[in-house]
């Protein structure tokens, strides 16, 4: 038909299958053939002879019946619908009496020009039209999984296109001895091997398939499905529950938020998130499924720690919606009581599910020969007056056969748990903690050290978040640190704040102060008063030791019109002043302090005018991020530009190393992976080369024989630091890139 002549909006087919409009026409006369007038989007029927002018027939496909027609004309000298009398109206309507076709004919003395033909129709009694033939079938599994163990199942789905085709398929397996598939697409592994599962549509010759690998199943001694975790909130929390086989503990965990793998899963928030359990019979094999949570960019992964030591880690992946599988056989199986921890390897969210394991070898523990103390998770920094805390202490006992077992619950220490460090301990600084264990009449001991620092206690009040402090304050009433301290944070996660040390009195609630010049909405916040008097109003905020604070922003005001300045200080950063000019009283501004604060900041008011703290922001990195940044600096930053300037570059890198927190240093020294291993090797090579050559570039002032001799000596030095010979040889022969 001519463009626009039939209104397509009106032909709205809502059931499965298309409705086809068929148009035929009779010639108007021997000399005129065209019924189109596309310049005006009309169908034109010319005048004939003896009432026999131009004619068109319109039909609809099987399965539909017509009910009525409405024709809009611009010129009409006489239009007949299905042989009815001539009608010269501008809009001609006619019932179609359940017809499947009708005709329009010019029976007048001039032209009939039609701009719209609207047809009403409905389903006929013959039923729904046949579906379209299928053109493709796509077979997939949730998360793109293509492997399964024999005896396990995997659900497949099939999508048939186009959408108007019959969606039903028939499932089949290329080898039922490897895997079978039922009518719903559920595959069951039977024996190891490769198998093709096919979904065939009702359209002949149209099918889709997927190739699966069936692996030999490991017979598990226990597993955890997380169906019992009971978490319902959206906050990250720590807790424990009775799992399928063992008691499960978790930190920085929450419900899966829809990023689940199989039923319930557990989401770990960041690098501090983990799940942990103890296996009394050791472990020789572990497997689990995991998946990236949320769709933000960034690699995700997990690492497996056995008795506090990393012994396995997943690949890092950034794949939305893909279920990852991990299995690991331990090179040396663990026997006896064994602590298994699966920890988030990055700062991004990840979900975990379906952990399975195989026990370690059954052993009979012989005569006690030694014990090994792992104090990595124990607090080693104390002030006099602090109580020793041995949480996280792990002790492994060994017999004459090399068998081991965890004996944490049977350990005695000197000084014992509950001991309060004295000023004498602080004077000594480093204090040895001796650990002993007795079995079968044999006692063995080991030790580790902690550092005790002198602290004047009378002016310090340590307050845990949520407690009430009853020191001096403006309103003569107690302040609740959970609302008044935590309430001053603007964007910093308050979960990072672990405690507050009120170092001086004059900390209290301040009355609401209206100020001008910056952001008047803050006037609705109850401020925290940092009291007047030099050395007064000092508080220490202690944060999670996993972070390193690099920038602190204070939002503060002075409540005075006297023109006197108020000065504030964060740790040892430069004093900044709430000035007397530039804004109307009371003065308010944001004050930025940058430096290396680690996880503690001390806010001081250094004048005799009270300051009012409205807001606090901190910027920070995790110790893992700091360690990785330092490693990359060695490999691609400062360390990559050492040629001819080794000594200066080494000094720069050593200064950066010393600026790291202790946790960041430990991460750099012990973290697995190629980046850290290469960075440690490069760092040690620089040290060795500078020690031998005073920073001179190899070959700059040496003969070939002398250079070769230097290589041997450097290799000896590197070997003494514990590097592998191959790594040492590599770095020696890449010397010109470093020096």
């Amino acid at each position: 038909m001519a463009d626009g002549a039939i209104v397509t909006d009106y032909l709205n087919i809502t059931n499965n299958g298309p409705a086809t409009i068929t148009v035929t026409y009779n010639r108007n006369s021997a000399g005129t053939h065209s019924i189109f007038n596309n310049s005006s989007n009309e169908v034109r029927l010319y005048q004939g002879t003896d009432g026999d002018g131009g004619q068109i027939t319109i039909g609809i496909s099987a399965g539909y019946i017509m009910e009525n027609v409405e024709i809009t004309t611009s010129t009409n000298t006489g239009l007949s619908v299905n042989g009815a009398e001539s009608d010269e109206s501008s809009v001609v309507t006619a019932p179609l009496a359940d017809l499947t076709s009708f005709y329009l004919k010019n029976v007048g003395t001039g032209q009939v020009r039609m701009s719209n033909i609207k047809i009403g129709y409905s389903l006929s009694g013959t039923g729904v039209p046949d579906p379209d033939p299928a053109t493709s079938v796509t077979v997939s599994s949730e998360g793109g999984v293509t492997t399964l163990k024999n005896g396990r199942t995997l659900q497949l789905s099939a999508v048939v296109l186009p959408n108007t085709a019959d969606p039903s398929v028939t499932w089949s397996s290329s080898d039922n001895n490897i895997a079978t598939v039922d009518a719903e697409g559920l595959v069951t592994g039977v024996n190891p091997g490769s198998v093709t599962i096919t979904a065939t549509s009702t359209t002949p010759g149209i099918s889709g398939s997927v190739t699966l690998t069936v692996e030999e199943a490991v017979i598990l001694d226990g597993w955890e499905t997380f169906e019992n975790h009971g978490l319902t909130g959206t906050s990250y929390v720590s807790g424990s529950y009775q799992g399928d086989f063992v008691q499960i503990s978790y930190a920085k965990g929450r419900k899966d938020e829809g990023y689940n793998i199989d039923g319930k899963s557990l989401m770990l928030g960041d690098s501090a998130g983990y799940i942990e359990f103890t296996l009394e019979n050791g472990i020789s094999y572990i497997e689990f499924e995991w998946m990236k949570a949320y769709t933000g960019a960034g690699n995700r992964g997990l690492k497996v720690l056995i008795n506090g030591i990393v012994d396995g880690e997943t690949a890092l992946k950034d794949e939305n919606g893909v279920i990852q599988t991990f299995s690991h056989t331990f090179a040396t199986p663990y026997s006896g009581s064994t602590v298994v921890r699966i920890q988030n390897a990055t700062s991004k969210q990840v979900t975990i599910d379906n952990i399975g394991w195989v026990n370690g070898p059954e052993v009979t523990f012989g005569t006690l020969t030694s014990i090994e103390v792992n104090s990595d998770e124990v607090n080693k920094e104390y002030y006099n007056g602090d109580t020793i805390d041995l949480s996280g202490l792990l002790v492994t006992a060994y017999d004459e056969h090399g068998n081991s077992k965890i004996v944490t619950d049977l350990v005695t220490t000197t000084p014992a748990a509950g001991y309060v460090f004295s000023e004498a301990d602080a004077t000594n600084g480093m204090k040895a903690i001796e650990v002993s264990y007795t079995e079968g009449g044999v006692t063995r001991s080991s030790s580790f050290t902690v550092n005790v620092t002198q602290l004047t206690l009378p002016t310090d009040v340590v307050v845990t978040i949520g407690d009430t402090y009853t020191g001096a304050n403006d309103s003569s009433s107690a302040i609740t640190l959970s609302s008044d301290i935590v309430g001053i944070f603007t964007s910093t996660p308050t979960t990072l704040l672990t405690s507050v040390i009120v170092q001086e009195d004059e900390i209290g609630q301040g009355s609401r102060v209206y100020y001008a010049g910056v952001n008047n909405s803050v006037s609705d916040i109850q401020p925290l008063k940092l009291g007047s008097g030099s050395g007064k109003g000092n508080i220490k905020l202690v944060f999670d030791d996993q972070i390193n604070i690099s920038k602190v922003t204070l939002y503060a005001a002075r409540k005075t019109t006297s023109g006197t300045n108020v000065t504030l200080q964060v740790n040892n950063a430069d004093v900044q002043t709430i000035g007397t000019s530039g804004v109307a009283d009371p003065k308010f501004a944001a004050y930025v302090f940058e430096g290396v604060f680690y996880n503690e900041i001390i806010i001081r008011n250094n004048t005799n005018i009270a300051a009012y703290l409205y807001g606090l922001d901190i910027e920070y990195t995790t110790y893992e991020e700091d360690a990785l940044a330092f490693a990359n600096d060695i490999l691609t930053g400062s360390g990559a530009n050492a040629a001819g300037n080794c000594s200066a570059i080494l000094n720069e890198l050593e200064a950066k190393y010393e600026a790291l927190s202790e946790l960041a240093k430990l991460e750099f020294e012990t973290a697995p992976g190629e980046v850290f291993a290469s960075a440690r090797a490069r760092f040690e090579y620089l040290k060795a080369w500078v020690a031998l050559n005073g920073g001179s570039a190899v070959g700059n002032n040496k003969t070939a024989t002398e250079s070769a001799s230097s290589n041997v000596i450097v290799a000896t030095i590197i070997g003494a630091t514990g590097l592998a010979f191959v790594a040492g040889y590599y770095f020696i022969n890449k010397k010109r890139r470093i020096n």
Side-chain angles (χ1 to χ4, degrees), residues 69-94:
V69 66
E70 176 184 294
I71 305 103
T72 303
T73 67
S74 62
T75 301
N76 182 8
T77 62
L79 178 65
S80 172
V81 180
N82 276 349
E85 293 184 1
S86 174
D87 189 336
E88 299 180 4
S89 304
S90 59
V91 177
V92 177
T93 60

Side-chain angles (χ1 to χ4, degrees), residues 562-578:
S562 65
T564 303
N565 287 346
V566 169
T567 56
L568 298 176
Q569 186 179 32
V570 174
N571 289 16
N572 295 318
D574 293 339
V575 171
Q576 295 197 26
T577 301
I578 303 176

Side-chain angles (χ1 to χ4, degrees), residues 65-366:
I65 54 175
M66 298 185 187
E67 296 180 341
N68 53 73
V69 66
E70 176 184 294
I71 305 103
T72 303
T73 67
S74 62
T75 301
N76 182 8
T77 62
L79 178 65
S80 172
V81 180
N82 276 349
E85 293 184 1
S86 174
D87 189 336
E88 299 180 4
S89 304
S90 59
V91 177
V92 177
T93 60
L96 297 179
D98 295 341
L99 298 177
T100 58
S101 68
F102 68 98
Y103 67 90
L104 303 174
K105 187 172 185 177
N106 183 354
V107 295
T109 58
Q111 295 183 17
V112 175
R113 300 183 181 182
M114 296 174 287
S115 56
N116 281 303
I117 303 174
K118 297 182 180 180
I119 303 169
Y121 66 94
S122 63
L123 286 173
S124 71
T126 60
V128 178
D130 291 337
D132 285 343
T135 58
S136 68
V137 178
T138 302
V139 178
S140 63
S141 65
E142 184 177 1
V145 176
T146 58
T147 61
L148 72 159
K149 307 288 187 183
N150 58 293
R152 309 271 182 97
T153 60
L154 178 65
Q155 181 64 56
L156 300 181
S157 61
V159 175
V160 180
L161 293 178
N163 294 332
T164 53
D166 184 353
S168 59
V169 296
T170 301
W171 294 93
S172 62
S173 169
S174 64
D175 190 341
N176 287 326
N177 191 46
I178 295 176
T180 61
V181 60
D182 67 10
E184 304 300 324
L186 183 66
V187 179
T188 301
V190 178
N191 287 298
S194 180
V195 64
T196 299
I197 305 298
T198 300
T200 302
S201 77
T202 57
T203 300
I206 304 300
S207 63
S209 62
V210 65
T211 299
L212 303 178
T213 300
V214 180
E215 299 175 342
E216 185 70 49
V218 176
I219 300 176
L220 300 174
D221 291 318
W223 55 82
E224 172 55 31
T225 62
F226 294 99
E227 294 301 316
N228 299 333
H229 68 55
L231 291 168
T232 57
T234 58
S235 298
Y236 291 105
V237 296
S238 298
S240 64
Y241 69 95
Q242 179 57 49
D244 297 311
F245 272 73
V246 291
Q247 185 77 10
I248 302 290
S249 299
Y250 56 87
K252 296 298 284 291
R254 73 179 193 185
K255 64 179 183 178
D256 54 58
E257 287 296 292
Y259 295 91
N260 62 307
I261 295 171
D262 180 16
K264 287 184 180 180
S265 302
L266 184 74
M267 183 187 296
L268 300 176
D270 55 30
S271 58
Y274 65 83
I275 70 107
E276 185 175 272
F277 51 91
T278 299
L279 300 177
E280 297 302 330
N281 297 316
I283 186 171
S284 60
Y285 168 86
I286 191 169
E287 65 180 35
F288 54 81
E289 294 175 310
W290 63 279
M291 185 173 70
K292 173 182 174 182
Y294 298 105
T295 57
N299 281 334
R300 317 295 168 96
L302 295 159
K303 52 187 177 182
V304 178
L305 290 80
I306 305 297
N307 298 331
I309 305 298
V310 176
D311 193 348
E313 54 190 323
T314 70
L316 295 178
K317 298 286 187 179
D318 185 10
E319 298 176 352
N320 293 324
V322 178
I323 300 172
Q324 311 288 344
T325 58
F326 175 79
S327 61
H328 179 62
T329 300
F330 298 104
T332 302
Y334 297 88
S335 60
S337 182
T338 303
V339 178
V340 180
R341 174 181 290 192
I342 304 176
Q343 185 153 354
N344 194 344
T346 71
S347 60
K348 305 288 186 178
Q349 299 96 330
V350 63
T351 54
I352 184 171
D353 203 353
N354 298 328
I355 304 170
W357 60 85
V358 178
N359 292 336
E362 295 184 9
V363 298
T364 301
F365 198 78

